Amino acid sequence: MTLRSIGLTLGALVLLAICPFIGPGLDGDQGSFILWQLRVPRTLMGAMVGATLGLAGAVYQTLFSNPLATPSTVGTTAGAALGALVAIIVLGPTSSGLPVVAGAAFLGAV
């Protein structure tokens, strides 16, 4: 592991630790709720999504031996959009919840 990799990893971890505390001041029980029930889970979820997207990009680039390969290369993005669109049209925009649309997008991507 190079010194640059170590520095970037430590920098990302520091930002991950600081991020939930950025924003308006938190006081009392309401502040505790906002911090632990809203900010920390959203920060961790954002970090996990970013790591997953980076891993997916690396897999595509390795699989196709092409540094410019993206999910659009094989139509994954278009399939996910089609699946979500079909779910919204068939079930209606108000009756389809996020899990239904996300599931349909996943199936379309596959």
Coordinates of all heavy atoms in Angstrom, one line a residue:
M1 N 0.9 -1.2 0.0 CA 0.0 0.0 0.0 C 0.9 1.2 0.0 O 1.8 1.4 0.8 CB -0.9 0.0 1.2 CG -2.1 0.8 1.1 SD -3.1 0.5 2.6 CE -4.7 0.5 1.8
T2 N 0.6 2.1 -0.9 CA 1.5 3.3 -1.0 C 1.1 4.3 0.0 O 0.0 4.3 0.6 CB 1.4 3.9 -2.4 OG1 0.0 4.4 -2.6 CG2 1.7 2.9 -3.5
L3 N 1.9 5.3 0.2 CA 1.7 6.4 1.2 C 0.4 7.2 0.7 O -0.3 7.6 1.6 CB 2.9 7.3 1.3 CG 2.9 8.3 2.3 CD1 2.7 7.7 3.7 CD2 4.2 9.2 2.3
R4 N 0.3 7.4 -0.6 CA -0.9 8.1 -1.1 C -2.2 7.4 -0.7 O -3.2 8.0 -0.3 CB -0.8 8.3 -2.6 CG -2.0 9.0 -3.1 CD -1.9 9.2 -4.6 NE -0.9 10.2 -4.9 CZ -0.5 10.5 -6.1 NH1 -1.0 9.8 -7.2 NH2 0.4 11.4 -6.3
S5 N -2.2 6.0 -0.9 CA -3.4 5.2 -0.5 C -3.7 5.3 0.9 O -4.9 5.5 1.3 CB -3.2 3.8 -0.9 OG -3.0 3.7 -2.3
I6 N -2.7 5.3 1.8 CA -2.9 5.4 3.2 C -3.5 6.7 3.6 O -4.4 6.9 4.3 CB -1.6 5.1 4.0 CG1 -1.2 3.6 3.8 CG2 -1.8 5.4 5.4 CD1 0.2 3.3 4.3
G7 N -2.9 7.8 3.0 CA -3.4 9.1 3.2 C -4.8 9.3 2.8 O -5.7 10.0 3.5
L8 N -5.2 8.8 1.6 CA -6.6 9.0 1.1 C -7.6 8.2 2.0 O -8.7 8.6 2.3 CB -6.7 8.5 -0.3 CG -6.0 9.4 -1.4 CD1 -6.0 8.8 -2.7 CD2 -6.7 10.8 -1.4
T9 N -7.2 7.0 2.4 CA -8.0 6.2 3.3 C -8.2 6.9 4.6 O -9.4 7.0 5.1 CB -7.4 4.8 3.5 OG1 -7.2 4.2 2.3 CG2 -8.3 4.0 4.4
L10 N -7.2 7.4 5.2 CA -7.3 8.1 6.5 C -8.2 9.4 6.3 O -9.0 9.7 7.2 CB -5.9 8.5 7.1 CG -5.1 7.3 7.6 CD1 -3.8 7.7 8.1 CD2 -5.9 6.6 8.7
G11 N -7.9 10.1 5.2 CA -8.8 11.3 5.0 C -10.2 11.0 4.8 O -11.1 11.7 5.4
A12 N -10.5 9.9 4.1 CA -11.9 9.5 4.0 C -12.5 9.1 5.3 O -13.7 9.4 5.6 CB -12.0 8.3 3.0
L13 N -11.8 8.4 6.2 CA -12.3 8.0 7.5 C -12.5 9.3 8.4 O -13.5 9.3 9.1 CB -11.4 7.1 8.2 CG -11.3 5.7 7.5 CD1 -10.2 4.8 8.2 CD2 -12.7 5.0 7.6
V14 N -11.6 10.2 8.3 CA -11.8 11.5 9.1 C -13.1 12.2 8.6 O -13.9 12.7 9.4 CB -10.6 12.4 9.0 CG1 -10.8 13.8 9.5 CG2 -9.4 11.7 9.7
L15 N -13.2 12.3 7.3 CA -14.5 13.0 6.8 C -15.7 12.2 7.2 O -16.7 12.8 7.5 CB -14.4 13.1 5.3 CG -13.4 14.2 4.8 CD1 -13.3 14.1 3.3 CD2 -13.8 15.6 5.3
L16 N -15.7 10.9 7.2 CA -16.8 10.1 7.6 C -17.2 10.3 9.0 O -18.3 10.4 9.4 CB -16.5 8.6 7.3 CG -17.6 7.6 7.5 CD1 -18.7 7.9 6.5 CD2 -17.1 6.2 7.4
A17 N -16.2 10.5 9.9 CA -16.4 10.8 11.3 C -16.9 12.2 11.5 O -17.7 12.4 12.4 CB -15.1 10.5 12.1
I18 N -16.5 13.2 10.7 CA -16.9 14.6 10.9 C -18.3 14.9 10.3 O -19.0 15.7 10.9 CB -15.8 15.5 10.3 CG1 -14.5 15.4 11.1 CG2 -16.3 16.9 10.3 CD1 -13.4 16.1 10.5
C19 N -18.6 14.2 9.3 CA -19.8 14.5 8.5 C -21.1 14.6 9.3 O -21.9 15.6 9.1 CB -19.9 13.5 7.3 SG -21.1 14.0 6.1
P20 N -21.4 13.7 10.2 CA -22.7 13.8 10.9 C -22.8 15.1 11.8 O -23.9 15.5 12.2 CB -22.7 12.6 11.8 CG -21.8 11.6 11.2 CD -20.8 12.4 10.5
F21 N -21.7 15.7 12.1 CA -21.7 16.8 13.0 C -21.8 18.2 12.3 O -21.8 19.2 12.9 CB -20.5 16.8 13.9 CG -20.5 15.6 14.8 CD1 -19.6 14.5 14.5 CD2 -21.3 15.5 15.9 CE1 -19.6 13.4 15.2 CE2 -21.2 14.3 16.7 CZ -20.4 13.3 16.4
I22 N -21.8 18.1 11.0 CA -21.9 19.4 10.2 C -23.4 19.7 10.0 O -24.2 18.9 9.7 CB -21.3 19.2 8.8 CG1 -19.8 18.9 8.9 CG2 -21.5 20.4 7.9 CD1 -19.1 18.5 7.6
G23 N -23.7 20.9 10.4 CA -25.1 21.4 10.3 C -25.5 22.2 11.5 O -24.6 22.5 12.3
P24 N -26.8 22.5 11.6 CA -27.2 23.3 12.8 C -26.9 22.6 14.1 O -26.8 21.3 14.1 CB -28.7 23.4 12.6 CG -29.0 23.1 11.1 CD -27.9 22.2 10.7
G25 N -26.8 23.3 15.2 CA -26.5 22.8 16.5 C -27.5 21.8 16.9 O -28.7 21.9 16.6
L26 N -27.1 20.8 17.7 CA -28.0 19.8 18.2 C -28.0 19.9 19.7 O -27.0 19.8 20.4 CB -27.5 18.4 17.8 CG -27.3 18.2 16.3 CD1 -26.6 16.8 16.1 CD2 -28.6 18.2 15.6
D27 N -29.2 20.1 20.3 CA -29.4 20.2 21.7 C -30.4 19.2 22.2 O -31.5 19.0 21.6 CB -29.8 21.6 22.1 CG -28.8 22.7 21.7 OD1 -27.6 22.3 21.8 OD2 -29.2 23.8 21.5
G28 N -30.2 18.6 23.4 CA -31.2 17.8 24.0 C -31.5 16.5 23.3 O -30.8 16.0 22.5
D29 N -32.8 16.0 23.7 CA -33.2 14.7 23.2 C -33.5 14.8 21.7 O -33.2 13.9 20.9 CB -34.5 14.3 23.9 CG -34.3 13.9 25.3 OD1 -33.1 13.6 25.6 OD2 -35.2 14.0 26.1
Q30 N -34.0 15.9 21.2 CA -34.2 16.1 19.8 C -32.9 16.1 19.0 O -32.8 15.4 17.9 CB -35.0 17.4 19.5 CG -35.4 17.5 18.0 CD -36.2 18.8 17.8 OE1 -36.2 19.7 18.6 NE2 -36.8 18.9 16.6
G31 N -31.9 16.7 19.5 CA -30.6 16.7 18.9 C -30.0 15.3 18.8 O -29.4 14.9 17.8
S32 N -30.2 14.5 19.9 CA -29.7 13.2 19.9 C -30.4 12.3 18.9 O -29.8 11.5 18.2 CB -29.9 12.6 21.3 OG -29.5 11.2 21.4
F33 N -31.7 12.5 18.8 CA -32.5 11.8 17.8 C -32.0 12.1 16.4 O -31.8 11.2 15.6 CB -34.0 12.1 17.9 CG -34.8 11.5 16.8 CD1 -35.2 10.2 16.8 CD2 -35.2 12.3 15.7 CE1 -35.9 9.6 15.8 CE2 -35.9 11.8 14.7 CZ -36.3 10.4 14.7
I34 N -31.8 13.4 16.1 CA -31.4 13.8 14.8 C -30.0 13.2 14.4 O -29.8 12.7 13.3 CB -31.4 15.3 14.7 CG1 -32.8 15.9 14.7 CG2 -30.7 15.8 13.4 CD1 -32.9 17.4 14.8
L35 N -29.1 13.3 15.4 CA -27.8 12.8 15.2 C -27.8 11.3 14.9 O -27.2 10.8 13.9 CB -26.9 13.1 16.4 CG -25.4 12.6 16.2 CD1 -24.7 13.4 15.1 CD2 -24.7 12.8 17.5
W36 N -28.4 10.5 15.8 CA -28.2 9.0 15.8 C -29.3 8.3 14.9 O -29.0 7.3 14.4 CB -28.3 8.4 17.2 CG -27.1 8.9 18.0 CD1 -27.1 9.7 19.0 CD2 -25.7 8.5 17.8 NE1 -25.8 9.9 19.5 CE2 -25.0 9.1 18.7 CE3 -25.1 7.6 16.9 CZ2 -23.6 8.9 18.8 CZ3 -23.8 7.4 17.0 CH2 -23.0 8.1 17.9
Q37 N -30.4 9.0 14.7 CA -31.4 8.3 13.9 C -31.4 8.8 12.4 O -32.0 8.2 11.5 CB -32.8 8.5 14.5 CG -32.9 7.9 15.9 CD -32.8 6.4 15.9 OE1 -33.2 5.7 15.0 NE2 -32.1 5.9 16.9
L38 N -30.9 10.0 12.2 CA -30.9 10.6 10.8 C -29.5 10.7 10.2 O -29.2 10.2 9.2 CB -31.7 11.9 10.8 CG -33.1 11.9 11.3 CD1 -33.7 13.3 11.3 CD2 -33.9 11.0 10.4
R39 N -28.7 11.5 10.9 CA -27.4 11.9 10.3 C -26.4 10.7 10.2 O -25.8 10.5 9.1 CB -26.8 13.0 11.1 CG -27.5 14.3 10.9 CD -26.8 15.5 11.6 NE -27.5 16.7 11.5 CZ -27.1 17.8 12.0 NH1 -25.9 17.9 12.6 NH2 -27.7 18.9 11.8
V40 N -26.2 10.0 11.3 CA -25.3 8.9 11.2 C -25.7 7.8 10.2 O -24.8 7.4 9.4 CB -25.0 8.3 12.6 CG1 -24.2 7.0 12.6 CG2 -24.3 9.4 13.5
P41 N -26.9 7.3 10.2 CA -27.3 6.3 9.2 C -27.2 6.8 7.8 O -26.7 6.1 6.9 CB -28.7 6.0 9.6 CG -28.9 6.3 11.0 CD -28.0 7.5 11.2
R42 N -27.5 8.1 7.5 CA -27.4 8.6 6.2 C -25.9 8.7 5.8 O -25.6 8.5 4.6 CB -28.1 10.0 6.1 CG -29.6 9.8 6.1 CD -30.3 11.2 6.1 NE -31.7 11.0 6.2 CZ -32.5 12.0 6.3 NH1 -32.1 13.3 6.2 NH2 -33.8 11.8 6.4
T43 N -25.1 9.1 6.7 CA -23.7 9.2 6.4 C -23.1 7.8 6.1 O -22.3 7.7 5.1 CB -22.9 9.8 7.5 OG1 -23.4 11.1 7.8 CG2 -21.4 10.0 7.3
L44 N -23.4 6.8 6.9 CA -22.9 5.5 6.7 C -23.5 4.9 5.4 O -22.7 4.2 4.6 CB -23.2 4.6 7.9 CG -22.5 4.9 9.2 CD1 -23.0 4.0 10.3 CD2 -21.0 4.8 9.0
M45 N -24.7 5.2 5.1 CA -25.3 4.7 3.9 C -24.7 5.3 2.6 O -24.4 4.6 1.6 CB -26.8 4.9 3.8 CG -27.5 4.3 2.6 SD -27.4 2.5 2.6 CE -28.4 2.1 3.9
G46 N -24.4 6.6 2.7 CA -23.7 7.3 1.6 C -22.3 6.7 1.4 O -21.9 6.5 0.2
A47 N -21.6 6.4 2.4 CA -20.3 5.8 2.3 C -20.4 4.4 1.7 O -19.6 4.0 0.8 CB -19.6 5.7 3.7
M48 N -21.4 3.6 2.1 CA -21.5 2.3 1.6 C -21.9 2.3 0.1 O -21.4 1.5 -0.7 CB -22.5 1.5 2.4 CG -22.0 1.1 3.7 SD -23.0 -0.1 4.6 CE -24.4 0.9 5.0
V49 N -22.8 3.2 -0.3 CA -23.2 3.3 -1.7 C -22.0 3.7 -2.5 O -21.8 3.2 -3.6 CB -24.4 4.3 -1.8 CG1 -24.6 4.7 -3.2 CG2 -25.7 3.7 -1.2
G50 N -21.3 4.7 -2.1 CA -20.1 5.1 -2.8 C -19.1 4.0 -3.0 O -18.5 3.9 -4.1
A51 N -18.9 3.3 -1.9 CA -17.9 2.1 -2.0 C -18.4 1.1 -3.0 O -17.7 0.5 -3.8 CB -17.7 1.5 -0.7
T52 N -19.7 0.8 -3.0 CA -20.3 -0.2 -3.9 C -20.2 0.3 -5.3 O -19.9 -0.5 -6.2 CB -21.8 -0.4 -3.5 OG1 -21.8 -0.9 -2.1 CG2 -22.4 -1.5 -4.3
L53 N -20.5 1.5 -5.6 CA -20.4 2.1 -6.9 C -18.9 2.0 -7.4 O -18.7 1.7 -8.6 CB -20.9 3.5 -7.0 CG -22.4 3.6 -6.9 CD1 -22.8 5.1 -6.8 CD2 -23.1 3.0 -8.1
G54 N -18.0 2.3 -6.6 CA -16.6 2.3 -6.9 C -16.2 0.8 -7.3 O -15.5 0.6 -8.2
L55 N -16.7 -0.1 -6.5 CA -16.3 -1.5 -6.7 C -17.0 -2.0 -8.0 O -16.3 -2.7 -8.8 CB -16.8 -2.4 -5.5 CG -16.6 -3.9 -5.6 CD1 -15.1 -4.2 -5.6 CD2 -17.2 -4.6 -4.4
A56 N -18.2 -1.6 -8.2 CA -18.9 -2.0 -9.5 C -18.1 -1.5 -10.7 O -17.9 -2.2 -11.7 CB -20.3 -1.5 -9.5
G57 N -17.7 -0.2 -10.6 CA -16.9 0.4 -11.7 C -15.6 -0.4 -11.9 O -15.2 -0.7 -13.1
A58 N -14.9 -0.8 -10.9 CA -13.7 -1.5 -11.0 C -13.9 -2.9 -11.6 O -13.1 -3.4 -12.4 CB -13.0 -1.6 -9.6
V59 N -15.0 -3.5 -11.2 CA -15.3 -4.8 -11.8 C -15.6 -4.7 -13.3 O -15.1 -5.5 -14.1 CB -16.5 -5.5 -11.1 CG1 -17.1 -6.7 -11.8 CG2 -16.2 -5.9 -9.7
Y60 N -16.4 -3.7 -13.7 CA -16.6 -3.5 -15.1 C -15.3 -3.3 -15.9 O -15.1 -3.8 -17.0 CB -17.6 -2.4 -15.4 CG -19.0 -2.8 -15.3 CD1 -19.9 -2.3 -14.3 CD2 -19.6 -3.6 -16.3 CE1 -21.2 -2.7 -14.3 CE2 -20.9 -3.9 -16.3 CZ -21.7 -3.5 -15.3 OH -23.0 -3.8 -15.3
Q61 N -14.5 -2.4 -15.3 CA -13.2 -2.1 -16.0 C -12.3 -3.3 -16.1 O -11.6 -3.5 -17.1 CB -12.6 -0.9 -15.3 CG -13.3 0.4 -15.5 CD -12.8 1.5 -14.7 OE1 -11.8 1.3 -13.9 NE2 -13.4 2.7 -14.8
T62 N -12.3 -4.1 -15.1 CA -11.5 -5.3 -15.1 C -12.0 -6.4 -16.1 O -11.3 -7.0 -16.8 CB -11.3 -5.9 -13.7 OG1 -10.8 -4.9 -12.8 CG2 -10.5 -7.2 -13.7
L63 N -13.4 -6.5 -16.0 CA -14.0 -7.5 -16.8 C -13.8 -7.3 -18.3 O -13.6 -8.2 -19.1 CB -15.5 -7.6 -16.5 CG -16.4 -8.6 -17.3 CD1 -16.0 -10.0 -16.9 CD2 -17.8 -8.3 -16.9
F64 N -13.9 -6.0 -18.7 CA -13.8 -5.6 -20.1 C -12.4 -5.2 -20.5 O -12.2 -4.8 -21.7 CB -14.8 -4.6 -20.5 CG -16.3 -5.0 -20.4 CD1 -17.1 -4.5 -19.4 CD2 -16.7 -6.0 -21.2 CE1 -18.4 -4.9 -19.3 CE2 -18.0 -6.5 -21.1 CZ -18.9 -5.9 -20.1
S65 N -11.5 -5.2 -19.6 CA -10.1 -4.7 -19.9 C -10.1 -3.3 -20.5 O -9.4 -3.1 -21.5 CB -9.3 -5.7 -20.7 OG -9.2 -6.9 -20.0
N66 N -11.0 -2.5 -20.0 CA -11.2 -1.1 -20.6 C -11.3 -0.1 -19.5 O -12.2 -0.2 -18.7 CB -12.4 -1.1 -21.5 CG -12.7 0.2 -22.2 OD1 -12.0 1.2 -22.0 ND2 -13.7 0.2 -23.0
P67 N -10.4 0.8 -19.4 CA -10.5 1.8 -18.3 C -11.6 2.8 -18.4 O -12.0 3.5 -17.5 CB -9.1 2.5 -18.4 CG -8.6 2.3 -19.8 CD -9.2 1.0 -20.2
L68 N -12.3 2.8 -19.6 CA -13.5 3.6 -19.7 C -14.8 2.9 -19.6 O -15.9 3.5 -19.9 CB -13.4 4.3 -21.1 CG -12.1 5.2 -21.3 CD1 -12.1 5.8 -22.7 CD2 -12.1 6.3 -20.3
A69 N -14.8 1.6 -19.3 CA -16.0 0.8 -19.2 C -16.9 1.4 -18.1 O -16.4 1.7 -17.0 CB -15.7 -0.6 -19.0
T70 N -18.2 1.4 -18.3 CA -19.2 1.9 -17.3 C -20.4 0.9 -17.4 O -20.5 0.1 -18.3 CB -19.7 3.3 -17.6 OG1 -20.4 3.3 -18.9 CG2 -18.5 4.3 -17.7
P71 N -21.3 1.0 -16.4 CA -22.5 0.2 -16.5 C -23.3 0.4 -17.8 O -24.1 -0.4 -18.2 CB -23.3 0.6 -15.3 CG -22.3 1.1 -14.3 CD -21.2 1.7 -15.1
S72 N -23.1 1.6 -18.4 CA -23.8 1.8 -19.7 C -23.3 1.0 -20.8 O -23.9 0.8 -21.8 CB -23.7 3.3 -20.0 OG -24.3 4.1 -19.1
T73 N -22.0 0.4 -20.6 CA -21.4 -0.3 -21.7 C -22.2 -1.5 -22.1 O -22.3 -1.9 -23.3 CB -20.0 -0.8 -21.2 OG1 -19.2 0.4 -20.8 CG2 -19.3 -1.5 -22.3
V74 N -22.8 -2.2 -21.1 CA -23.6 -3.4 -21.4 C -25.1 -3.2 -21.2 O -25.9 -4.1 -21.3 CB -23.2 -4.6 -20.6 CG1 -21.8 -5.0 -21.0 CG2 -23.2 -4.3 -19.1
G75 N -25.5 -1.9 -21.0 CA -26.9 -1.6 -20.9 C -27.6 -1.8 -19.5 O -28.8 -1.8 -19.4
T76 N -26.7 -1.9 -18.5 CA -27.3 -2.1 -17.2 C -28.1 -0.8 -16.7 O -29.1 -1.0 -16.1 CB -26.1 -2.3 -16.2 OG1 -25.4 -3.4 -16.6 CG2 -26.6 -2.6 -14.8
T77 N -27.6 0.3 -17.0 CA -28.2 1.6 -16.6 C -29.6 1.7 -17.3 O -30.6 2.0 -16.7 CB -27.3 2.8 -17.0 OG1 -26.1 2.6 -16.4 CG2 -27.9 4.1 -16.5
A78 N -29.6 1.4 -18.6 CA -30.9 1.5 -19.4 C -31.9 0.5 -18.9 O -33.1 0.8 -18.8 CB -30.6 1.4 -20.9
G79 N -31.4 -0.7 -18.6 CA -32.3 -1.7 -18.1 C -32.9 -1.4 -16.7 O -34.1 -1.6 -16.5
A80 N -32.1 -0.8 -15.9 CA -32.6 -0.3 -14.6 C -33.6 0.8 -14.7 O -34.7 0.8 -14.1 CB -31.5 0.1 -13.7
A81 N -33.4 1.7 -15.6 CA -34.3 2.8 -15.9 C -35.6 2.2 -16.4 O -36.7 2.7 -16.1 CB -33.7 3.8 -16.8
L82 N -35.6 1.3 -17.3 CA -36.8 0.7 -17.9 C -37.6 -0.1 -16.9 O -38.8 0.1 -16.8 CB -36.4 -0.3 -19.0 CG -37.5 -1.1 -19.7 CD1 -38.5 -0.1 -20.4 CD2 -37.0 -2.1 -20.6
G83 N -36.9 -0.8 -16.0 CA -37.6 -1.5 -14.9 C -38.3 -0.6 -14.0 O -39.5 -0.8 -13.6
A84 N -37.7 0.5 -13.6 CA -38.3 1.5 -12.7 C -39.5 2.1 -13.4 O -40.5 2.3 -12.8 CB -37.3 2.5 -12.3
L85 N -39.3 2.5 -14.7 CA -40.4 3.1 -15.4 C -41.6 2.2 -15.6 O -42.7 2.7 -15.4 CB -39.9 3.5 -16.8 CG -40.9 4.3 -17.7 CD1 -41.2 5.6 -17.1 CD2 -40.3 4.4 -19.1
V86 N -41.4 1.0 -15.9 CA -42.5 0.0 -16.0 C -43.2 -0.1 -14.6 O -44.5 -0.1 -14.6 CB -42.0 -1.4 -16.5 CG1 -43.0 -2.4 -16.3 CG2 -41.5 -1.3 -17.9
A87 N -42.5 -0.2 -13.5 CA -43.1 -0.3 -12.2 C -44.0 1.0 -11.9 O -45.1 0.9 -11.4 CB -42.1 -0.5 -11.1
I88 N -43.5 2.1 -12.3 CA -44.2 3.4 -12.0 C -45.4 3.5 -12.9 O -46.5 3.8 -12.4 CB -43.3 4.6 -12.2 CG1 -42.2 4.6 -11.1 CG2 -44.1 5.9 -12.2 CD1 -41.1 5.7 -11.3
I89 N -45.3 3.1 -14.2 CA -46.5 3.1 -15.1 C -47.5 2.1 -14.7 O -48.7 2.4 -14.6 CB -46.0 3.0 -16.5 CG1 -45.2 4.2 -17.0 CG2 -47.2 2.7 -17.4 CD1 -44.6 4.1 -18.3
V90 N -47.1 0.9 -14.4 CA -48.1 -0.2 -14.1 C -48.8 0.1 -12.8 O -50.0 -0.1 -12.7 CB -47.4 -1.6 -14.1 CG1 -48.3 -2.6 -13.6 CG2 -46.9 -1.9 -15.5
L91 N -48.0 0.4 -11.8 CA -48.6 0.6 -10.4 C -49.0 2.0 -10.1 O -49.7 2.2 -9.1 CB -47.6 0.2 -9.4 CG -47.1 -1.3 -9.5 CD1 -46.0 -1.6 -8.5 CD2 -48.3 -2.2 -9.2
G92 N -48.7 3.0 -11.0 CA -49.1 4.3 -10.7 C -48.1 5.0 -9.9 O -47.4 4.4 -9.0
P93 N -47.9 6.3 -10.1 CA -46.8 7.0 -9.4 C -47.1 7.2 -7.9 O -46.1 7.2 -7.1 CB -46.8 8.4 -10.0 CG -48.1 8.6 -10.6 CD -48.6 7.2 -11.0
T94 N -48.3 7.1 -7.4 CA -48.6 7.3 -6.0 C -48.6 5.9 -5.2 O -48.3 5.9 -4.1 CB -49.9 8.0 -5.8 OG1 -51.0 7.3 -6.4 CG2 -49.8 9.4 -6.3
S95 N -49.0 4.9 -5.9 CA -49.2 3.6 -5.2 C -47.9 2.8 -5.2 O -47.8 1.9 -4.4 CB -50.3 2.8 -5.9 OG -49.9 2.5 -7.2
S96 N -47.0 3.1 -6.0 CA -45.7 2.3 -6.0 C -44.7 3.0 -5.0 O -44.3 4.1 -5.1 CB -45.1 2.3 -7.4 OG -44.8 3.6 -7.8
G97 N -44.4 2.2 -4.0 CA -43.4 2.7 -3.0 C -42.0 2.5 -3.5 O -41.7 1.9 -4.6
L98 N -41.1 3.1 -2.8 CA -39.7 3.0 -3.2 C -39.2 1.6 -3.3 O -38.5 1.2 -4.2 CB -38.8 3.8 -2.2 CG -37.3 3.8 -2.5 CD1 -37.1 4.5 -3.8 CD2 -36.6 4.5 -1.4
P99 N -39.5 0.6 -2.4 CA -39.0 -0.7 -2.5 C -39.5 -1.4 -3.8 O -38.7 -2.2 -4.4 CB -39.5 -1.5 -1.3 CG -39.8 -0.4 -0.3 CD -40.2 0.8 -1.1
V100 N -40.7 -1.1 -4.2 CA -41.2 -1.7 -5.4 C -40.4 -1.2 -6.6 O -40.0 -2.0 -7.5 CB -42.7 -1.5 -5.6 CG1 -43.2 -2.0 -6.9 CG2 -43.5 -2.1 -4.4
V101 N -40.3 0.1 -6.7 CA -39.6 0.7 -7.8 C -38.1 0.3 -7.8 O -37.5 -0.1 -8.9 CB -39.7 2.2 -7.8 CG1 -38.8 2.9 -8.9 CG2 -41.1 2.7 -8.0
A102 N -37.5 0.2 -6.7 CA -36.1 -0.2 -6.6 C -35.9 -1.6 -7.0 O -35.0 -2.0 -7.7 CB -35.5 0.1 -5.2
G103 N -36.8 -2.5 -6.6 CA -36.8 -3.9 -6.9 C -37.0 -4.1 -8.4 O -36.3 -4.9 -9.1
A104 N -37.9 -3.3 -9.0 CA -38.1 -3.4 -10.5 C -36.9 -2.9 -11.2 O -36.5 -3.5 -12.2 CB -39.3 -2.6 -10.9
A105 N -36.2 -1.9 -10.7 CA -35.0 -1.3 -11.3 C -33.9 -2.4 -11.2 O -33.1 -2.6 -12.2 CB -34.6 -0.1 -10.6
F106 N -33.8 -3.1 -10.1 CA -32.8 -4.1 -10.0 C -33.0 -5.2 -11.0 O -32.1 -5.7 -11.6 CB -32.8 -4.7 -8.5 CG -31.8 -5.8 -8.3 CD1 -30.5 -5.6 -8.2 CD2 -32.3 -7.1 -8.3 CE1 -29.6 -6.7 -8.1 CE2 -31.5 -8.2 -8.1 CZ -30.1 -8.0 -8.0
L107 N -34.3 -5.7 -11.1 CA -34.6 -6.7 -12.0 C -34.3 -6.3 -13.5 O -33.8 -7.1 -14.3 CB -36.1 -7.1 -11.9 CG -36.4 -7.9 -10.6 CD1 -37.9 -8.2 -10.6 CD2 -35.6 -9.2 -10.5
G108 N -34.6 -5.0 -13.8 CA -34.3 -4.5 -15.1 C -32.8 -4.5 -15.4 O -32.3 -4.7 -16.5
A109 N -32.0 -4.1 -14.3 CA -30.6 -4.1 -14.5 C -30.0 -5.5 -14.7 O -29.0 -5.6 -15.5 CB -29.9 -3.4 -13.3
V110 N -30.6 -6.4 -14.0 CA -30.1 -7.8 -14.2 C -30.4 -8.3 -15.6 O -29.6 -8.9 -16.3 CB -30.7 -8.7 -13.1 CG1 -30.4 -10.2 -13.4 CG2 -30.2 -8.4 -11.8

